Each structure stands twice: as C-alpha cells, then as structure tokens.
C-alpha cells in the first residue's frame, strides 16, 4: 500500500513549522502518485499582510504560516500541461490549460502548506475533477496567455463560473535574470518551497491534506509592466497595499498524491 503520510520529522512540531519540518517536505512520498503534470510560465505576485486579516478566512485548526511575523497573500498565473493520471496518457482537451490562483500559506501540527482561496482554470473537465475529487475551489474562467518575446508574458482572465463573485485579472511581465536556488530559511524559500496543500469541505468541518513533489523552483527576477485584478477582492479580502514581491518560475514536473483527511 502507498504511504501518503508526511515525513516523520514534519510531525515533530505541534505548532509552527521548524526549518527541519520545511526541509523534510522536500522528500518525495512513497508509492505511485495519482497525477503528473508540468507547471510553466509562472508568476508569483506576493504581498505581505497582517496574519489577523487572513486567519478568520481559514477553517478551524489551520493556522496562518508567517515569515518574520508577516503572512503572505499571492496571485499566481501559470500554464499547466502534460496532465495525466498514473495509468493513462494525457487526455486531449484536458491535458493543457491556464490556471490562476489566489493563495496563502498555512500549517497544521507543524506541517507547512498552501491554502487556496480560489483557483480559476480554463478547462471545464479539470474544474469538475478538482472540485469533485480534491475538494479544491476551482472555478471556470476564460484566459489567454501570449508570449510576444522569449521574456515577455501577457495574461488576461475573466471568471465565468456561475453563482460566485465575478473577478478579472490582467498582467504583463518580463522574465529577467535567473536567481540562485532559494536558500533554506530565506523569504524566497518560504514562499516557493511548498510541497503540501490543504483544503476542506464546503462547511469547513472536514480538513484534507495532499502532498506534491517536484524539484525546487527555478526562479527568475521579474518586472510587471501592467497589472489589474479583482481576484483578491472577490474573496472578501482587502486590497493589499504596495507593490508585490515578484518571482517568475518554471518549468517544473510535478507529481500529486491523493488528498487525505487530517
């Protein structure tokens, strides 16, 4: 039977993660992953925010993860490709699509991970599978990404999912110089070295954790030429102040294991 548990050291801390907990999450889980895919053309847009603003939006038991006392809220547009299960090749029409998420960082019993406020995607089948199988808040949207040059990316999205708050996003950015690998304990490491995700049922009475595995992100400096968004505000969150901290990233090959109740 496959072992989808977190590494033993990650269970040692009862509250906030230690650096040892964070490094342990890099270990690939045993067994066969449920899904494989590739993430590329990614832009991390991060804002530092007080933890007290985000904590009320989380399910019970989950705690905001902080770096130097601050929580971080992110918008992340990217391209997903080569999506396939452990037993099948890529499915035509569902193996490549654009995605856009709003996220923050959390922990449970010392295990750090990602909490998604929303995930917009262009493929209805992917949205249905993610909502049904993974309990993730995926939403349908129209999106377009263009690459006029090797360094320039233009991304636009508009949410089309019925019954939820409308939202739109536009950004143009340049991919700049390669960055050295994120140093353990650094802010870049805290923001990008995430190998676990959390989700809950709609009533937030059940909590689930899923593992992911990939090589550390190849990161680049980035420069945003234009940006406008209502994604964060559509979640009932205040507009973050100031310019975002930027990193471009990818590609990475990713493996995902089934969600487990915790």
């Amino acid at each position: 039977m496959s072992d989808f548990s977190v590494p033993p050291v990650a269970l040692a801390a009862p509250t906030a993660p230690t650096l040892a907990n964070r490094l342990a999450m890099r270990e690939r889980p045993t067994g066969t992953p449920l899904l494989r895919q590739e993430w590329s053309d990614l832009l991390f847009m991060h804002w530092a925010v007080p933890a007290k603003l985000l904590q009320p939006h989380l399910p019970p038991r989950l705690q905001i993860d902080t770096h130097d006392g601050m929580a971080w809220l992110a918008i992340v547009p990217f391209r997903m490709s080569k999506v396939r299960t452990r037993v099948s090749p890529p499915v035509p029409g569902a193996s490549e699509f654009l995605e856009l998420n709003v996220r923050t960082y959390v922990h449970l019993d010392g295990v750090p991970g990602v909490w998604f406020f929303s995930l917009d995607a262009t493929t209805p089948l992917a949205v249905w599978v993610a909502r049904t199988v993974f309990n993730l808040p995926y939403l349908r949207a129209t999106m377009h990404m263009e690459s006029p040059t090797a360094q320039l990316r233009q991304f636009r999205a508009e949410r089309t999912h019925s019954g939820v708050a409308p939202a739109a996003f536009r950004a143009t950015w340049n991919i700049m110089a390669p960055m050295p690998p994120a140093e353990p304990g650094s802010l870049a490491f805290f923001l990008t070295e995430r190998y676990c995700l959390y989700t809950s049922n709609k009533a937030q009475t059940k909590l689930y954790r899923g593992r992911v595995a990939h090589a550390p992100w190849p990161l680049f400096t980035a420069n945003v030429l234009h940006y406008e968004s209502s994604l964060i505000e559509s979640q009932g969150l205040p507009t973050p102040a100031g310019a975002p901290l930027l990193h471009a990233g990818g590609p990475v090959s990713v493996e995902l294991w089934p969600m487990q109740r915790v």
Side-chain angles (χ1 to χ4, degrees), residues 1-240:
M1 180 178 293
S2 298
D3 178 9
F4 302 123
S5 62
V6 298
V9 68
L11 297 175
T15 54
T18 65
L19 183 57
N21 297 145
R22 300 184 192 281
L23 289 170
M25 297 306 294
R26 285 177 160 181
E27 296 182 21
R28 184 183 183 274
T30 58
T32 305
L34 178 64
L35 291 172
R36 293 185 172 95
Q37 52 199 233
E38 186 170 289
W39 299 341
S40 60
D41 291 326
L42 183 142
L43 179 67
F44 291 105
M45 306 179 70
H46 280 105
W47 291 265
V49 298
K52 64 181 181 181
L53 292 182
L54 301 182
Q55 187 63 51
H57 295 268
L58 299 181
R61 299 173 57 214
L62 269 189
Q63 296 295 313
I64 286 290
D65 201 0
T66 61
H67 187 277
D68 289 339
M70 294 299 291
W72 288 82
L73 185 62
I75 295 177
V76 184
F78 67 103
R79 185 185 306 278
M80 188 179 291
S81 60
K82 302 178 182 178
V83 180
R84 59 205 184 277
T85 72
R86 60 190 177 190
V87 295
S88 70
V91 178
S95 63
E96 181 170 343
F97 51 90
L98 298 176
E99 186 169 315
L100 177 63
N101 62 63
V102 178
R103 65 195 243 178
T104 192
Y105 305 106
V106 298
H107 64 86
L108 175 69
D109 299 330
V111 182
V114 177
W115 174 262
F116 294 103
F117 290 108
S118 65
L119 304 101
D120 291 69
T122 51
T123 303
L125 178 59
V127 171
W128 181 86
V129 170
R131 292 174 70 91
T132 304
V133 177
F134 294 99
N135 284 304
L136 286 166
Y138 267 77
L139 303 169
R140 292 185 298 276
T142 59
M143 301 186 203
H144 302 276
M145 180 185 282
E146 297 175 359
S147 304
T149 70
Q151 289 74 39
L152 189 65
R153 299 293 182 271
Q154 298 173 331
F155 193 106
R156 62 185 187 276
E158 184 169 353
R159 186 173 295 162
T160 58
H161 203 100
S162 61
V164 299
F169 174 86
R170 290 177 181 270
T172 301
W173 67 93
N174 272 317
I175 303 168
M176 311 293 279
M179 297 178 64
E183 193 71 25
S186 68
L187 179 57
F189 180 92
F190 175 89
L191 297 175
T192 64
E193 295 289 307
R194 296 281 163 171
Y195 300 97
C196 173
L197 60 92
Y198 290 94
T199 187
S200 71
N201 63 338
K202 190 172 295 186
Q204 295 194 342
T205 57
K206 299 177 182 178
L207 196 61
Y208 303 90
R209 179 164 56 207
R211 290 293 310 280
V212 300
H214 58 77
W217 278 103
L219 296 175
F220 303 81
T221 58
N223 176 37
V224 167
L225 306 176
H226 171 78
Y227 156 70
E228 57 185 273
S229 172
S230 57
L231 289 169
I232 291 173
E233 295 79 3
S234 74
Q235 296 299 315
L237 297 168
T239 304

